[in-house]
Amino acid sequence: MCRVLVPVGYGLNCDDETIYAFKMVGADVKKIFLKDLIKDPQRLDDYQILAMIGGFSYGDHIAAGKVLANIYKYEIGETIQRFISDGKLIFGECNGFQALVKAGILPGLNGDYHTQCATLTYNDSGVFEDRWVKLKINPKSNCVFTKNIEELYLPVRHGEGKFIVEKKAVLEKLKEKNLIVLQYADMETLKPTMKYPQNPNGSIGSIAGICDCTGRVFGKMPHATAYLSPYNHPSWTRLKVEGSLPKEGGGVQIFRNAVEYVKNNLT
Amino acid sequence: MVYRIEVGFKPNIVDSSGERTKTDIYNFLGIKVDQVRTRRVYTLDIELNLEELEKVKRELFVDPVIEEVSSRLPSFNWYIEVGYKPGVTDNVGKTARKAIQELLKRRFKESEKVYTSIQYLIKSAKLSFIEIEKIGKELLSNEIIESLTILSYREVLEKGLNIPIPIVIGKQESRVKEYDLRVSDEELTQISRKGVLALTLDEMKIIKNYFYDKEITEQRREKGLSRNPTDVELETLAQTWSEHCKHKIFNALIHYRDGETEEEIDSLFQTYIRKFTEEIMEDVPWLISIFVDNAGVIKLNDTLNIVAKVETHNAPSAIEPYGGAMTGIVGINRDPLGTGIGAKLMFNVFTYCFGSPFYKSENSTQFLHPRRIREGVHRGIIDGGNQSGIPLVIGREIFDKRFGEAKPLVYCGTFGIMPKEINGYPSHIKTINPGDLIVMVGGRIGKDGIHGATFSSEELHRGSPVQAVQIGDPITQKMMSEFILEARDLGMYRCITDNGAGGLASSIGEMARYSGGCEIELENAPLKYQGLHPWEILLSEAQERMTLAVDHTQIEQFLELAKKRDVGATILGKFTDSGKFHVKYNDKTVGYLDMKFLHEGVPKKRLRAVWKKPIHEEPKFDEAIDLTIILEEMLARLNICSIEKKLRQYDHEVKGLSIIKLLVGKEEDVPSDATVCLVEYGSIEGIIFANGLNPHYSDVDTYHMAASAIDEGVRRVIAVGGKLPSEKIPFAALDNFCWPDPEQSEKTPDGCYKLAQLVRANKALYDYSKAFMLPFISGKDSMKCDSVIDGKKVSIPPSLLITVIAKMEDIRKAVTMDVKKIGDIVYIVGETFNELGGSEYYKLIGEKMKGVGYVGNNVPIVDAEKAKEIYRSMSEATDRCLVHSIHTPTKGGLGVALAKSAFAGGYGLNVSLSKVPYSGARRNDVVLFSESNSRFVVTVPMNMKEEFELVMRGNICTEVGIVIDEQRLKIRGLDGGYIINSDINRLKEVWKRTLEDV
């Protein structure tokens, strides 16, 4: 059985849909109050997937995901390192992704999972925005979550989602190693774009999500958990008329991939 | 030791907040500046060693990729710093303090705090001090809650910054004051006014009689109290008897007279609002808990109930839009949370009424500029809602000059769900046993919001108390609500209610009715800072607090769980059956009131209402030669144009339950008629949310205003595929009245008329709730929406918001308003009349002809019987999946509706007005822009034509055109020639432009 742990509390808020997403594809999912995890980080060892969900941890005060990042870095840092080296999976969405990057866990270049080399900052628009975006998936990426997916249509819901790197070399490396998993893309051509609003925040390299070299630690801004039913699509009534309404929500495959990976490799 | 940490972006990083401020300075104030750089300032009033300080800077406050700490200022001409005033909630400061503790692994003293502020470094050589002061005061700060420092480059250079930190200095000794009420009537009135008690002379006299009664005096003497009421008692009575809490106008005895009839109405609430609900209560199985709790409860299915509440937060939002609106939304969240034994918060809604953001006037209004109010209100509810993880499902704005001058309206609501039974007990029932402990959960108490209840029952004036405004803390509240649901499911408490207006006085006072009394120990209350008087602790409206009744056998587990979840919980006494509202402070009785007097002592008002139908000038003008231009002007109007820019800033879909979203269509950017959400994952059962609001019709007749609002709510539900209420289909409404003061007085010489307007709206509310079988389940009123400008009273147009929720049995059959396929047939359902009274079109014509909108007289009426037939047939059509799109015309009538359906779908239309079912003078403009109720624009695929027509038989429903393979809206006039022929992309652009950058 694939076991997923979802830390909650302190303003995190996508717990319901994340739990449902993993349950849909057959995982056994448990919530844990963040403070309980800090008190006893070893509880993580019983699980194969850590789901870092969206929300406003600590109100996003100081900077989005910053205080949470410090917790992952200092309070449970060692357990996280062990979790990764044990071949397990980390899934970060929105606030979870911000925390992963600010804790230095992503992109984890050269096996260094505690030095921050990128960040997610204020959208160029200056405001929080909820809008659906087209995402191109890097076919060369070894990300286990996006296997067999070519493109996605998902909502972003954030005010601080602009991906920036510390120096050019980081971006080069991300490209070279195929760590850029998701890119904001043009609706029609599916080419990565810098144009607003298709690129909703001004992220460099149109980056919407990245993974580490193992492909097992994955974070992204758009919410796969917001598209678990075909009827979550913002214009499903049009797809229905066109006869192209899918059987399941476009986000589900991401969770299925993760659970399949665990079943095939970790149990 | 005080350390200042200033964090700015590295020079090569775009400072988007600075850029935005620069744009805002130009957009709001018309002042051009060269550059704005912003820096965040954290002032740490904490004992730290240097190593610790460095660690905190490096690891917490700076993002090493883009930011740096530096006390060296980048070049500037003017320095502005905005921080909070003492005692104002500083959420970032609170989090920073907590994060530093965790980072350094040690705990700080209570007095050791972190304060935050923002620096604006403005470059612009030519800026005058007057201009910079304007920027500081009118854009960057609000003096009510924030402190502002403005320094020139030279001043900074010569004197440094020296900005003091906002420590609360609470030196005053807490005391209990007595009031001698054995004084003249005039002095009684003075006592009420001076104390912002908002008690009338009649009420003061009744209070006086109570306290000097022999028996009462004797009882109080036994508790160590004198004959005079204490401030604790008088304040408690004032808040419990306030209009805000007791709805004295809605419960008044009203003598109503119009041209034909005369009648006595004993309580508008009982006679109209509640009446139909009571009539239908036995006939439908889904009315669960109505008008008795903090929110209404109806049944969704065999296992779940829906909890619904909509409120207003007008007065605080007018004064401090951000904080006022945020407390509005987090405050309304606590109503469902405090209903029954607590509901899970699921969906938020808002509707705002503002003055034009482009308002220009020589008159000095009471408030901030409408544009700034709008901006602040949006930001407050965006932050409050998004941070709470609750999606927005309705968002609308209405504009009228009077909402800018008299009072803005901020309606916000929250819907929750709760299991029908929890641990074997019905979840909507409240009980308390004598002996149960009073437990307050959540944040601490400060002077925040004292007098909120009495204040909102008063006309606004410049001297309104500053404490009336608070800032919410959504994260603390979210943690509290998660804890409460956990404790609820574990059966750890018996009863719960929220702390809103009136604070503990209100929450404990209300709860004590279940057991028959209470004994409060105020000294136990957790305070934000020292120096609060007992009455202030009792009345404080500090946010994020709930009051619970906990059995003494469970108190230990309860407090332990609270501690584990990082939520404050304090025992504040116990519930009793003594019949007394007993308040103690340090073992001394400071308040001792009869429960019966507290809750039932308020005298009934007697009011007079006189209705005389107003006669407005009926505009006489010729139809414009080019109606395409008129259509574009209509689409660009504030009440019709797109508010997408703002809507996108609200999270629409956290929880992943949204089915028909706020924005729909090909480009997902046109508002849907109503929204649909699931409440359970994987289910096909949903809830439809919609509302109706037409304050402009009140200028003609509030009866038809209310009728139209109800019809609008109902037909929006039908438009997305809903069905009329029935035994099987739960479908209920909520009322929110915002009204000018309707009590005749020297200040309000037209009070009798305004009250008659209120009576008429209530009459319609009953008539149409009965006609549509639509029970009201919850409501709220805000009755003093007036202000004074240059000595002249200004009032809002009476505004009744009708919010509706309906069950949708199968969300897969939902329909949206955008046309979807070339070749589909366009139908108009329902009849169009010459009903331009109060319309957007008359306003436009008036503004063009004489600078001020026309009102006219033919306000839209509702023929409920015909409407119901139409709605039934439409539901059958959607149930049988016969239609591709439905859009119901509202403001701007058919012309606007056709344009929106077309550009939302990305296809053109070719329609003919001569086919539109219409009775009235032969004028194209009337057919296009009349706002008649109960109509739909429907598109039907060719192969469903016959079946659709069969289903609609007996109703007014005609084929008027077709969806075309051309991006144009083509409308033939009554004479057959094209009167509108326009690119739909152009129409969309015009519709989008008005508020795109505002």
Side-chain angles (χ1 to χ4, degrees):
Chain A
M1 190 68 165
C2 169
R3 288 187 306 276
V4 184
L5 189 66
V6 181
V8 299
Y10 299 92
L12 289 165
N13 63 31
C14 294
D15 40 339
D16 285 350
E17 58 265 48
T18 308
I19 291 167
Y20 174 62
F22 279 107
K23 280 191 174 163
M24 264 179 104
V25 293
D28 177 19
V29 195
K30 286 268 162 11
K31 273 205 272 202
I32 186 167
F33 191 62
L34 192 59
K35 194 168 144 190
D36 292 342
L37 184 62
I38 295 171
K39 221 188 260 167
D40 186 9
Q42 286 174 13
R43 290 171 72 167
L44 186 55
D45 295 340
D46 297 338
Y47 299 85
Q48 297 107 346
I49 300 177
L50 170 67
M52 292 172 57
I53 60 174
F56 288 80
S57 58
Y58 299 90
D60 278 358
H61 302 143
I62 302 176
K66 178 71 185 176
V67 178
L68 184 63
N70 274 0
I71 287 170
Y72 276 97
K73 191 170 178 178
Y74 296 108
E75 311 279 334
I76 43 183
E78 280 172 33
T79 315
I80 294 284
Q81 307 286 341
R82 187 170 66 241
F83 194 79
I84 297 169
S85 57
D86 284 350
K88 295 176 174 180
L89 275 57
I90 299 180
F91 170 80
E93 196 163 85
C94 200
N95 204 234
F97 180 38
Q98 290 164 336
L100 280 169
V101 170
K102 291 178 187 186
I105 299 170
L106 274 178
L109 294 179
N110 307 320
D112 173 356
Y113 289 102
H114 40 72
T115 310
Q116 184 183 348
C117 65
T119 198
L120 290 145
T121 186
Y122 298 98
N123 298 349
D124 279 349
S125 67
V127 291
F128 177 104
E129 281 189 353
D130 178 335
R131 61 168 75 244
W132 285 60
V133 291
K134 197 75 168 177
L135 298 157
K136 180 185 188 315
I137 291 174
N138 182 355
K140 290 188 212 144
S141 158
N142 67 342
C143 178
V144 303
F145 293 85
T146 51
K147 228 175 90 186
N148 302 324
I149 309 175
E150 283 165 25
E151 57 174 88
L152 283 166
Y153 191 52
L154 297 175
V156 288
R157 308 194 309 251
H158 61 244
E160 298 173 51
K162 178 180 178 177
F163 189 87
I164 302 185
V165 289
E166 192 180 22
K167 42 188 178 243
K168 264 205 175 131
V170 174
L171 185 62
E172 296 305 319
K173 197 98 180 209
L174 290 175
K175 284 183 186 162
E176 182 198 317
K177 303 264 181 195
N178 284 307
L179 303 182
I180 301 170
V181 185
L182 295 180
Q183 285 174 295
Y184 300 112
D186 184 273
M187 278 295 275
E188 308 294 326
T189 64
L190 202 63
K191 288 217 172 77
T193 182
M194 290 305 289
K195 251 198 245 152
Y196 176 84
Q198 286 95 333
N199 178 335
N201 46 39
S203 285
I204 57 140
S206 319
I207 292 173
I210 58 173
C211 67
D212 72 338
C213 288
T214 70
R216 290 183 282 104
V217 182
F218 172 48
K220 61 181 170 44
M221 289 313 296
H223 293 258
T225 48
Y227 189 17
L228 301 175
S229 155
Y231 302 96
N232 286 144
H233 190 289
S235 43
W236 68 265
T237 55
R238 300 179 72 79
L239 302 182
K240 186 176 157 190
V241 169
E242 288 162 13
S244 58
L245 190 65
K247 283 219 163 51
E248 68 175 21
V252 181
Q253 189 59 34
I254 287 190
F255 303 97
R256 188 175 292 125
N257 284 336
V259 171
E260 289 295 315
Y261 178 88
V262 170
K263 280 185 185 158
N264 295 333
N265 299 280
L266 295 173
T267 49
Chain B
M1 186 67 190
V2 175
Y3 304 97
R4 245 174 95 88
I5 302 176
E6 297 172 7
V7 182
F9 288 104
K10 290 180 178 171
N12 59 330
I13 300 292
V14 181
D15 173 2
S16 65
S17 129
E19 293 293 317
R20 193 172 161 211
T21 307
K22 181 182 152 179
T23 315
D24 285 348
I25 291 173
Y26 182 70
N27 283 343
F28 280 71
L29 307 171
I31 301 171
K32 273 196 171 145
V33 299
D34 298 338
Q35 191 195 50
V36 181
R37 294 288 284 186
T38 58
R39 310 206 313 172
R40 292 171 296 148
V41 182
Y42 302 93
T43 307
L44 280 47
D45 185 11
I46 295 173
E47 288 307 321
L48 295 174
N49 61 39
L50 273 184
E51 196 187 317
E52 286 176 325
L53 181 64
E54 281 313 307
K55 183 167 185 187
V56 165
K57 280 186 191 171
R58 193 178 61 233
E59 304 294 338
L60 182 64
F61 290 122
V62 175
D63 185 325
V65 175
I66 49 172
E67 293 170 334
E68 59 189 10
V69 171
S70 164
S71 49
R72 194 169 38 88
L73 295 169
S75 71
F76 65 94
N77 300 94
W78 290 99
Y79 179 98
I80 294 184
E81 185 163 325
V82 179
Y84 291 111
K85 286 197 164 160
V88 176
T89 308
D90 182 345
N91 287 323
V92 180
K94 272 203 289 190
T95 303
R97 181 179 187 273
K98 195 177 164 80
I100 298 170
Q101 287 193 138
E102 270 164 33
L103 196 63
L104 301 181
K105 303 231 179 293
R106 67 181 176 91
R107 297 196 68 77
F108 301 142
K109 281 184 283 182
E110 194 109 312
S111 60
E112 292 184 299
K113 288 202 165 124
V114 178
Y115 303 92
T116 62
S117 49
I118 300 178
Q119 282 179 357
Y120 299 89
L121 301 157
I122 297 174
K123 233 192 210 172
S124 178
K126 281 177 267 165
L127 222 53
S128 67
F129 183 75
I130 292 175
E131 283 173 313
I132 196 76
E133 199 180 26
K134 201 174 160 91
I135 294 171
K137 284 192 172 165
E138 292 181 25
L139 184 71
L140 301 180
S141 73
N142 184 349
E143 59 181 353
I144 301 221
I145 55 160
E146 287 163 330
S147 61
L148 173 68
T149 308
I150 300 176
L151 299 167
S152 68
Y153 178 70
R154 176 171 286 264
E155 284 171 306
V156 175
L157 210 64
E158 286 172 1
K159 295 181 209 149
L161 294 172
N162 294 324
I163 294 163
I165 50 172
I167 300 180
V168 177
I169 301 162
K171 275 194 186 140
Q172 66 178 3
E173 284 297 304
S174 57
R175 51 142 181 76
V176 177
K177 213 169 101 186
E178 284 181 12
Y179 288 92
D180 189 344
L181 301 185
R182 286 162 298 182
V183 293
S184 69
D185 288 2
E186 206 169 289
E187 281 168 279
L188 279 179
T189 310
Q190 272 305 317
I191 290 172
S192 169
R193 189 169 299 156
K194 262 194 185 159
V196 202
L197 300 176
L199 290 164
T200 64
L201 179 60
D202 273 352
E203 289 161 354
M204 286 299 282
K205 280 175 160 172
I206 286 175
I207 292 172
K208 177 177 168 179
N209 290 342
Y210 170 81
F211 279 101
Y212 300 102
D213 174 272
K214 223 174 143 192
E215 200 180 321
I216 297 295
T217 307
E218 182 55 31
Q219 285 176 9
R220 290 165 49 76
R221 202 177 54 78
E222 279 172 27
K223 297 286 168 193
L225 290 169
S226 82
R227 298 184 71 181
N228 295 327
T230 64
D231 50 8
V232 171
E233 291 168 321
L234 204 53
E235 294 280 355
T236 300
L237 283 167
Q239 88 77 28
T240 309
W241 289 11
S242 68
E243 182 57 46
H244 188 92
C245 296
K246 274 283 180 271
H247 311 284
K248 291 179 280 195
I249 293 167
F250 270 84
N251 287 313
L253 190 66
I254 295 172
H255 183 86
Y256 171 80
R257 179 158 55 86
D258 59 26
E260 294 147 20
T261 57
E262 219 171 296
E263 61 185 308
E264 290 286 326
I265 302 160
D266 187 358
S267 169
L268 290 170
F269 176 64
Q270 299 292 348
T271 312
Y272 301 113
I273 299 176
R274 208 187 156 119
K275 191 169 169 203
F276 178 66
T277 307
E278 274 171 4
E279 287 169 6
I280 200 184
M281 201 89 188
E282 301 297 312
D283 300 333
V284 294
W286 42 265
L287 288 168
I288 305 293
S289 168
I290 313 297
F291 293 123
V292 293
D293 208 332
N294 288 313
V297 184
I298 61 170
K299 176 176 150 176
L300 175 70
N301 56 35
D302 290 339
T303 55
L304 284 176
N305 289 338
I306 309 171
V307 182
K309 181 70 176 275
V310 179
E311 245 183 27
T312 50
H313 221 228
N314 307 331
S317 303
I319 292 182
E320 210 302 283
Y322 179 76
M326 182 191 264
T327 47
I329 197 71
V330 294
I332 187 73
N333 286 168
R334 289 193 300 273
D335 276 306
L337 185 63
T339 296
I341 57 167
K344 179 169 179 169
L345 308 174
M346 298 300 286
F347 310 105
N348 281 341
V349 297
F350 80 71
T351 299
Y352 309 140
C353 300
F354 295 129
S356 164
F358 309 109
Y359 177 82
K360 282 196 184 80
S361 172
E362 300 306 309
N363 299 333
S364 56
T365 71
Q366 293 282 358
F367 312 121
L368 302 168
H369 191 275
R371 181 168 178 160
R372 205 173 154 200
I373 292 184
R374 177 173 184 259
E375 183 66 25
V377 166
H378 273 289
R379 279 204 304 116
I381 300 209
I382 288 165
D383 285 354
N386 291 0
Q387 293 184 19
S388 302
I390 303 170
L392 181 79
V393 300
I394 301 176
R396 285 180 74 183
E397 287 184 87
I398 301 249
F399 296 92
D400 187 288
K401 191 176 160 204
R402 290 167 284 182
F403 295 119
E405 293 177 343
K407 211 183 233 184
L409 304 184
V410 177
Y411 293 98
C412 40
T414 302
F415 298 83
I417 52 165
M418 57 187 183
K420 190 178 148 210
E421 286 186 351
I422 295 169
N423 300 321
Y425 294 99
S427 61
H428 65 278
I429 306 253
K430 277 188 151 87
T431 54
I432 294 179
N433 292 349
D436 283 354
L437 298 164
I438 302 169
V439 181
M440 188 189 93
V441 160
R444 290 165 167 262
I445 298 174
K447 295 196 182 191
D448 329 32
I450 283 171
H451 281 156
T454 48
F455 160 68
S456 66
S457 308
E458 288 237 305
E459 193 179 277
L460 286 179
H461 52 84
R462 276 188 198 280
S464 297
V466 298
Q467 317 94 290
V469 178
Q470 317 134 66
I471 291 185
D473 174 0
I475 302 303
T476 295
Q477 177 150 311
K478 182 163 173 55
M479 291 182 63
M480 174 183 76
S481 58
E482 286 168 359
F483 156 70
I484 284 169
L485 294 187
E486 193 178 352
R488 177 196 76 177
D489 292 344
L490 291 167
M492 284 183 173
Y493 60 82
R494 189 149 20 232
C495 190
I496 181 166
T497 203
D498 69 307
N499 280 287
L504 291 172
S506 174
S507 68
I508 301 176
E510 281 297 319
M511 286 173 93
R513 298 174 85 169
Y514 293 99
S515 65
C518 62
E519 198 177 300
I520 306 171
E521 286 151 9
L522 276 182
E523 71 277 9
N524 292 341
L527 305 182
K528 290 182 178 176
Y529 38 81
Q530 293 308 307
L532 266 73
H533 300 306
W535 76 267
E536 291 177 317
I537 300 174
L538 193 63
L539 269 286
S540 164
E541 296 182 8
Q543 294 289 302
E544 296 88 37
R545 294 179 300 142
M546 304 292 287
T547 302
L548 292 88
V550 182
D551 191 290
H552 66 275
T553 60
Q554 283 166 314
I555 190 69
E556 248 175 76
Q557 305 159 44
F558 181 88
L559 295 177
E560 197 184 328
L561 183 66
K563 201 173 166 200
K564 267 179 79 175
R565 296 292 175 254
D566 254 354
V567 172
T570 319
I571 302 170
L572 291 184
K574 59 175 191 279
F575 291 101
T576 65
D577 54 5
S578 65
K580 301 291 178 193
F581 182 81
H582 187 177
V583 188
K584 299 201 305 193
Y585 186 69
N586 290 332
D587 290 332
K588 216 176 140 235
T589 292
V590 293
Y592 197 70
L593 288 165
D594 267 330
M595 286 290 293
K596 196 167 156 49
F597 180 68
L598 178 62
H599 287 293
E600 292 159 36
V602 60
K604 215 177 186 50
K605 281 192 176 182
R606 288 177 165 273
L607 300 171
R608 229 156 40 85
V610 182
W611 171 251
K612 194 168 165 254
K613 192 176 171 10
I615 310 283
H616 296 279
E617 180 188 354
E618 197 59 42
K620 289 195 174 59
F621 62 100
D622 292 329
E623 184 175 302
I625 295 161
D626 189 346
L627 282 169
T628 302
I629 293 175
I630 300 290
L631 176 62
E632 287 182 2
E633 287 173 342
M634 288 292 284
L635 286 167
R637 289 183 68 77
L638 279 175
N639 281 321
I640 293 172
C641 73
S642 166
I643 58 163
E644 182 195 352
K645 174 91 188 286
K646 291 283 186 262
L647 281 182
R648 286 235 180 265
Q649 295 177 39
Y650 294 79
D651 193 326
H652 307 169
E653 46 203 334
V654 56
K655 294 184 198 293
L657 295 166
S658 78
I659 298 299
I660 299 298
K661 298 179 197 287
L662 280 174
L663 296 166
V664 296
K666 190 180 176 208
E667 295 175 292
E668 294 154 16
D669 56 358
V670 182
S672 49
D673 288 12
T675 57
V676 180
C677 290
L678 297 173
V679 292
E680 291 174 291
Y681 297 106
S683 166
I684 55 162
E685 236 172 43
I687 312 180
I688 305 172
F689 299 90
N691 68 18
L693 177 64
N694 297 289
H696 295 109
Y697 299 165
S698 295
D699 293 334
V700 182
D701 189 342
T702 48
Y703 183 88
H704 299 300
M705 175 278 286
S708 297
I710 293 172
D711 184 72
E712 184 187 342
V714 172
R715 69 185 196 255
R716 282 175 180 270
V717 167
I718 301 298
V720 296
K723 292 176 180 165
L724 283 172
S726 68
E727 207 186 311
K728 259 178 71 190
I729 303 288
F731 186 160
L734 295 88
D735 63 279
N736 285 89
F737 287 84
C738 286
W739 230 258
D741 184 358
E743 293 185 63
Q744 188 81 15
S745 71
E746 217 171 283
K747 279 192 308 189
T748 314
D750 55 352
C752 288
Y753 173 71
K754 286 167 171 166
L755 188 64
Q757 287 185 303
L758 185 65
V759 171
R760 291 184 68 75
N762 275 280
K763 282 176 180 284
L765 189 145
Y766 172 71
D767 292 349
Y768 286 90
S769 65
K770 191 176 172 77
F772 286 122
M773 297 274 288
L774 177 71
F776 280 77
I777 57 165
S778 170
K780 197 86 188 176
D781 56 272
S782 175
M783 299 306 292
K784 308 263 167 146
C785 301
D786 315 272
S787 182
V788 177
I789 295 181
D790 296 338
K792 238 184 95 193
K793 180 157 188 157
V794 281
S795 300
I796 63 155
S799 304
L800 170 60
L801 175 73
I802 301 289
T803 306
V804 292
I805 46 167
K807 177 173 173 172
M808 182 161 206
E809 290 170 300
D810 186 350
I811 56 99
R812 296 170 301 183
K813 291 178 177 171
V815 180
T816 52
M817 52 74 70
D818 46 320
V819 302
K820 296 186 180 64
K821 206 171 165 205
I822 296 159
D824 281 359
I825 302 160
V826 182
Y827 289 86
I828 304 285
V829 178
E831 196 169 2
T832 302
F833 302 92
N834 182 348
E835 290 182 320
L836 283 165
S839 69
E840 275 303 303
Y841 183 58
Y842 268 7
K843 271 207 262 324
L844 170 77
I845 295 297
E847 283 165 22
K848 283 165 86 95
M849 288 172 65
K850 55 172 186 156
V852 190
Y854 281 114
V855 175
N857 299 289
N858 301 332
V859 70
I861 60 167
V862 180
D863 182 334
E865 287 316 306
K866 274 191 193 158
K868 258 164 50 183
E869 285 310 313
I870 289 174
Y871 299 163
R872 251 182 232 125
S873 304
M874 286 293 290
S875 300
E876 196 181 333
T878 50
D879 196 49
R880 286 159 70 167
C881 298
L882 305 178
V883 306
H884 277 170
S885 76
I886 303 173
H887 182 33
T888 184
T890 54
K891 290 209 175 299
L894 283 177
V896 166
L898 288 165
K900 281 166 77 179
S901 286
F903 63 61
Y907 298 119
L909 297 175
N910 192 346
V911 299
S912 184
L913 286 193
S914 60
K915 293 182 187 162
V916 171
Y918 165 70
S919 25
R922 278 180 66 82
R923 281 182 66 138
N924 293 309
D925 56 350
V926 180
V927 184
L928 278 175
F929 303 120
S930 171
E931 295 177 7
S932 294
N933 287 299
S934 324
R935 296 179 298 163
F936 301 97
V937 174
V938 185
T939 62
V940 177
M942 195 60 97
N943 60 349
M944 300 291 181
K945 179 178 185 334
E946 259 174 59
E947 205 180 336
F948 177 73
E949 288 178 2
L950 199 68
V951 166
M952 294 306 295
R953 202 151 62 180
N955 291 300
I956 291 170
C957 168
T958 55
E959 179 180 339
V960 300
I962 191 162
V963 179
I964 54 174
D965 185 11
E966 201 182 345
Q967 305 242 310
R968 298 194 78 80
L969 177 65
K970 295 160 95 169
I971 301 178
R972 284 181 196 275
L974 298 169
D975 292 331
Y978 282 110
I979 51 162
I980 284 171
N981 186 344
S982 182
D983 185 336
I984 56 170
N985 299 305
R986 151 99 192 146
L987 294 175
K988 189 172 185 179
E989 194 193 314
V990 167
W991 171 76
K992 280 197 157 190
R993 199 187 298 143
T994 312
L995 289 174
E996 203 162 27
D997 303 315
V998 182

